[in-house]
Amino acid sequence: MPGVRRSRAGPILVVLTLALAGCGREPQLVDRQFLAFGTLVDVSVFTRSPERAHRAIDQVREALQRWHETWHPWRGEGLARINRRLAAGRPAELSPEIRDMLVSATRYHRLSGGRFDPALAGLVRLWGFNGDEDPPSRPPADAALRDWLAERGSVADLTLREDRVTPAGTGVQLDLGGFAKGYALDRAVAMFQAAGVENAIINAGGDLRVMGQRGGRAWRVGIRGPRGGGVFAAVEAADGEAVFTSGDYERFFEWRGRRYHHILDPETGRPARGLRSVTVITNAGGLADAAATALFVAGREWPAAARDLGLDQVMAVTDDGTVEVTPAMAGRIRFVDARPDRVEEVSWQ
Ligand code: ADP
Ligand code: MG
């Protein structure tokens, strides 16, 4: 009825105009939390349009939860289907997303001298770090590890042509866990951009990406301390930056007084040694995540590995508790409680 329409048009127009104009409201912080990627994701948006922010966060939450399922190496019909084909020595069709991830992951494999390898699903499973379940209670048998090392393949053994991947044998299955979170946060940032969200921080259990600012000031973010000791340092993160940390405290078990954790050295087939944690700041989540894993594997040789990956903002905590920083990182990091006993700037040219 025309009468009814007329009486509604006024309020609807007003609401629309206010929403489009940002309605002159004071910007406010919208903060939401949800579970995805096996961790608590915290999203903060600084905005004049909380409705828009909530809608965009709903989209991001749905996507992150879906990706986590689709990228599971053994469960479901996404990456798991591809892995079943590869295990049978047969070619597999890739979705555009997984293809894109494989292309990036192959580049990080090369740039990291093979330390980052997204083809370690079999090894990760041998160690029992493959699921969302509790970690195992003891290392695999030496014989099983020897067999794995003898048959060992890498992502470089896969041939990618258009959207089809072909294995050389049966030993290579994909585990994108070393950089899936970073890649996912990059995609989430793109979703926010498309939705008109400009100032936000998406923090997945301490690994995060930053967009814009918070009311004209940089977002201040915490860096996780080694051995899960809470926030240990803080940094003001600029628009577009990603801050990622890999550590030996995320998933581990102890056996006969030794710690066995989930970041594996493809060279030895065993948990990497030398560092407790590595934090990387750069301008893309996928690179930051893959690099944090790769530098953790590099151990005390991390500075050379960082240069090869084109990074200059890195902090590593070594086995004996020394905090090693690149000059670019030293210039911006603030320790939250007491300054650690030993902080050393590594030489850099
Ligand atoms: P988190 O995901 O806990 O932040 P990482 O980004 O370092 O930590 O990823 C660790 C995960 O990556 C492991 O659980 C495993 O699935 C996978 N992984 C382990 N070792 C490697 C490696 N050398 N290269 C690539 N991925 C790895
Ligand atoms: Mg990683």
Side-chain angles (χ1 to χ4, degrees), residues 64-313:
L64 292 179
Q65 290 171 342
R66 182 163 38 85
W67 290 331
H68 182 52
E69 290 304 312
T70 317
W71 300 341
H72 195 287
W74 309 112
R75 195 176 61 214
E77 290 302 315
L79 189 62
R81 182 188 55 79
I82 294 163
N83 278 341
R84 286 196 294 275
R85 301 273 305 176
L86 297 178
R90 313 192 36 194
E93 305 295 324
L94 307 181
S95 65
E97 243 155 34
I98 290 185
R99 183 187 189 286
D100 191 31
M101 290 176 86
L102 186 59
V103 169
S104 300
T106 305
R107 193 170 72 242
Y108 303 140
H109 175 257
R110 184 166 39 79
L111 292 175
S112 71
R115 290 172 173 124
F116 174 83
D117 190 345
L120 298 182
L123 181 66
V124 174
R125 183 161 66 175
L126 194 59
W127 279 92
F129 289 121
N130 52 304
D132 303 324
E133 317 89 51
D134 288 340
S137 55
R138 54 176 299 173
D142 283 347
L145 270 179
R146 267 200 307 276
D147 288 350
W148 184 83
L149 286 167
E151 313 259 298
R152 178 182 69 174
S154 85
V155 73
D157 300 329
L158 298 176
T159 309
L160 182 63
R161 206 156 282 134
E162 289 172 14
D163 55 2
R164 166 180 280 235
V165 67
T166 307
T170 56
V172 168
Q173 277 96 56
L174 297 170
D175 175 345
L176 304 172
F179 94 128
K181 208 198 283 176
Y183 180 85
L185 293 197
D186 290 345
R187 298 289 298 251
V189 164
M191 289 173 78
F192 269 180
Q193 280 164 344
V197 170
E198 291 169 347
N199 300 293
I201 182 158
I202 312 175
N203 184 337
D207 293 328
L208 55 94
R209 266 208 72 176
V210 164
M211 299 172 69
Q213 294 189 320
R214 179 187 173 152
R217 302 189 55 174
W219 291 99
R220 195 174 147 84
V221 304
I223 295 176
R224 281 178 298 167
R227 304 270 146 106
V231 172
F232 155 81
V235 69
E236 296 198 338
D239 181 28
E241 283 190 317
V243 184
F244 274 72
T245 301
S246 274
D248 65 3
Y249 49 83
E250 280 292 319
R251 288 174 74 74
F252 68 92
F253 61 89
E254 291 193 14
W255 168 251
R256 298 192 170 153
R258 266 199 112 153
R259 177 183 285 239
Y260 295 87
H261 60 79
H262 69 151
I263 304 174
L264 302 171
D265 183 343
E267 217 31 61
T268 62
R270 296 174 181 277
R273 300 265 174 230
L275 300 179
R276 290 183 191 168
S277 73
V278 177
T279 301
V280 171
I281 306 184
T282 184
N283 58 7
L287 171 61
D289 194 354
T293 305
L295 299 188
F296 192 95
V297 172
R300 303 300 288 264
E301 291 162 26
W302 70 262
R307 278 194 208 94
D308 291 345
L309 281 155
L311 302 167
D312 69 345
Q313 301 192 55

